Amino acid sequence: MPEPRTPSAGASAGAWEEPCVGASDTMMSIRQRKGGRAAGAAGDGAAPQEDQQEDQQEDAAREPKLPSEGGTSRRLWKILSFTVGGAIALCAGLLTSVYLATLHENDLWFSNIKEVEREISFRTECGLYYSYYKQMLQAPSLMQGFRGLMYDNKTESMRTINLLQRMNIYQEVFLSAVYRALPIQKYLEPVYFYIYTLFGLQAVYVAALYATSWLLSGTWLSGLLAAFWYVANRTDTTRVEFTIPLRENWALPFFAVQVAAITYFLRPNLRPVSEWLTLLTIFTSTFVFSLTWQFNQFTMLVQALGLFALDSLDMLPAAKATWLYSIQVTALLLVCALQFFNSMILGSLLISFNLSVLIARKLQKNLKTGNFLHRLGKLLLHLLVVLCLTLFLNNIIKKVLNLRSDEHIFKFLKAKFGFGATRDFDANLYLCEEAFGPLPWDTFGRLSHTLLLHAYLPVLGVTATTALAVALRHLSDSPAQGPPGRCAVSLGPDTAYNLTHTVMFGALALSTMRMKYLWTPHVCVFAAAGLCSPEVWGCLLKVARLHSPARVCAVRHAIPLLLLLCLGCKLWPGVMDELSELREFYDPDTVELMHWINSNTPQTAVFAGSMQLLAGVKLCTGRTLTNHPHYEDSGLRARTRAVYQVYARRPPEEVHALLRALGTDFVILEDSICFERRHQRGCRLRDLLDVANGHVMDGPGENEAGLQPAGHPRFCEEIRRGLPAYTALFTRVFQNKTFHVYRLQKDAAGPPAPSPAGHTR
């Protein structure tokens, strides 16, 4: 949240909502330069009287028309404005939390369903993460629970792993410790303490978005509009209500806090105390964001690329850019230490890139001298040096540490962007998921329905055009020559940063739908800030020959108010319908399966099955797993491919040997996977396994060259027939309409376990 500023001449305008502020240097501005500012202005003589009058008018526009011009009245007005704006931010955040929590309750009837149903509602990896919170609370003491996470032998059978190193679950550890310490056990169930914490973080998220928009525009009306748009577009801005324990729901609120702090940090003329406090906020939020999400390094890499672009074009103070690069690296290395030197962090591109940028800046100190062609050539050389140095450092680190944790991501990216087809099972598993495909067109329809896209695109166009003009001017001008003309276009570093942020994350969202949750909340911020910007409206009114400080002030306040009223009237009936729609969680087949496992299998039993289902098995029953949904480990990916051979065309002896090699006692087969129709041919799980094994796919259609017909029927189909070759190795012990559970014979003699995938490329 912006702090009160003294009304000094050098302070940047716009952190406070004032009655009539005509301009703010936090957004782009077009104004006549004063003659005294240019180098060599003395030789040109004094500025004409009419220009001086224009400057005086502009300066007057920046001063609020207060009832009293005294410093006391001005200070009181700022305090009042800050208090009102801050109170509205707090209320907006709390209302968002209550609204989302109510929708979650209405959708599942969470307060009425059984404990096992509540746990099953945490689907896929959400259930896995919540199971560690449950495990910590069930431990005799906090230290024993902590030790149990460090030496875990139930998440992956026949292996003891350090969960604190492998996964980002410190938030579950912290939350369980807080729940144990607080005297609330009699009044609040552990599951409610958990979900209320996540919904509470949404208040932090909305307040951070509010503050960022306020800082950019200079009015808290902008923050209110950004918060309203965030909630109105919740389908595309968050998925917390139905994937509560997901890592991004822990991390993104702190990422928003970091963006708000960076926006404030990049404002000019900060006092030393304010600057140091802001740096502390940036570091803390970056650290917590990195600690709570395994994909932190990729998100911050995109952020670092934007900083690098601005830094190279001289649109960002070099010293502040260095601080931001250093904070990213320091926070990530601290997280690496807390995660017992997680190799995936050490081998991240972010660390290699930031170090390369800092090294290249030391090697090339004269980038900002010379004419346009010289600067452009130096810039391209600088880019090449950074790129080569990044790849060199990253390859050296990965070879020294023998890192393979993130190779599936690069295989996926290579295949996604058309750098050759692949038979790799892991890459195709991502490629076939809709969430990792391009952003659907209906997203833009939903964003247009709330008028968000209508506001965002013009603001983006005006700001991007201004940024391009500023970048070209910086490349053309020589510091020794001064500005070439009296009319200049300027763009504040804070606005420039938020522009690159929205452009780069927008490009990421367009290419991969799952990444839209990093982009759409900032779209709300950027659009609201632009609509409330005095510079944007000043430019438009000048074009229409209607410019005056009073008109700019009136329009920039009236437009957001009218928009809020219009959207409120338009969307209110839909909100009431949502709040009145009551549903109930219903999954009797999975509930029956969990009850059977708890009642009929020993605590030491090892279960194999799909990643998504096994996360629920661990949470609801505490049984040992062969594999799970946390896919960022090469050994786990190999285990998953081995288990999934139950859906491939492999002989029963091979499948049995593969499962027993992982210590499996029971295997769960799902009809929804064996007879899948959700995906088209080529993207069904059985098709991915066939291609990875070098077999042709089922059904009519083309097959890739080099694939051969399988010599055996599909295991999951054939085992249902009860043939002797299968019953000798597998005994069905449970079935319902969805699941079939088979117990493996332990004393069966057979060949050694074969490779789970015969042919991969």
Side-chain angles (χ1 to χ4, degrees), residues 72-125:
T72 303
S73 299
R74 184 185 183 93
R75 209 172 296 115
L76 288 174
W77 176 259
K78 288 188 175 184
I79 293 172
L80 176 63
S81 181
F82 178 81
T83 304
V84 171
I88 292 175
L90 180 62
C91 291
L94 292 176
L95 286 174
T96 301
S97 298
V98 172
Y99 175 61
L100 293 174
T102 303
L103 291 177
H104 175 261
E105 168 64 24
N106 291 355
D107 194 47
L108 299 177
W109 203 3
F110 201 76
S111 60
N112 189 65
I113 58 179
K114 300 176 182 177
E115 184 68 18
V116 65
E117 293 176 305
R118 291 176 179 175
E119 293 178 346
I120 292 172
S121 71
F122 296 140
R123 301 287 188 180
T124 66
E125 61 182 299

Side-chain angles (χ1 to χ4, degrees), residues 283-348:
F283 174 78
T284 304
S285 55
T286 303
F287 167 71
V288 178
F289 167 71
S290 302
L291 188 65
T292 52
W293 196 21
Q294 68 268 32
F295 295 122
N296 55 70
Q297 52 179 295
F298 303 104
T299 303
M300 290 198 295
L301 177 62
V302 175
Q303 189 179 49
L305 289 171
L307 292 171
F308 174 69
L310 295 175
D311 184 25
S312 300
L313 293 171
D314 201 20
M315 298 174 68
L316 208 63
K320 291 188 175 183
T322 302
W323 271 112
L324 296 177
Y325 290 135
S326 303
I327 284 174
Q328 282 189 335
V329 173
T330 305
L332 208 57
L333 290 176
L334 183 56
V335 169
C336 180
L338 284 175
Q339 289 195 263
F340 299 87
F341 299 97
N342 184 305
S343 60
M344 190 172 174
I345 296 177
L346 290 174
S348 68

Side-chain angles (χ1 to χ4, degrees), residues 608-610 626-627 638-647 659 662 667:
S610 69
T626 56
N627 56 305
R639 282 172 161 254
T640 301
R641 289 193 297 273
V643 170
Y644 279 7
Q645 297 305 307
V646 297
Y647 299 109
L659 294 177
L662 300 176
V667 59

Side-chain angles (χ1 to χ4, degrees), residues 126-146:
C126 298
L128 183 68
Y129 298 132
Y130 183 79
S131 72
Y132 300 124
Y133 170 72
K134 180 180 177 181
Q135 179 178 327
M136 285 291 295
L137 291 177
Q138 291 177 342
S141 68
L142 192 62
M143 287 307 299
Q144 284 180 278
F146 195 81

Side-chain angles (χ1 to χ4, degrees), residues 653-721:
E653 297 81 11
E654 288 187 6
V655 173
H656 183 271
L658 285 168
L659 294 177
R660 285 301 302 155
L662 300 176
T664 307
D665 297 313
F666 298 88
V667 59
I668 307 173
L669 300 184
E670 300 172 58
D671 288 348
S672 59
I673 298 178
C674 188
F675 305 103
E676 180 185 1
R677 290 179 174 83
R678 183 170 69 94
H679 291 101
Q680 62 182 0
R681 183 179 185 270
C683 273
R684 299 169 299 189
L685 181 63
R686 62 180 185 267
D687 296 334
L688 303 184
L689 291 163
D690 287 342
V691 171
N693 292 341
H695 300 153
V696 296
M697 296 181 287
D698 286 340
E702 296 183 358
N703 287 282
E704 184 182 337
L707 298 178
Q708 302 294 326
H712 302 277
R714 194 166 303 281
F715 178 86
C716 64
E717 296 176 0
E718 202 69 9
I719 194 174
R720 298 160 65 96
R721 298 174 58 189

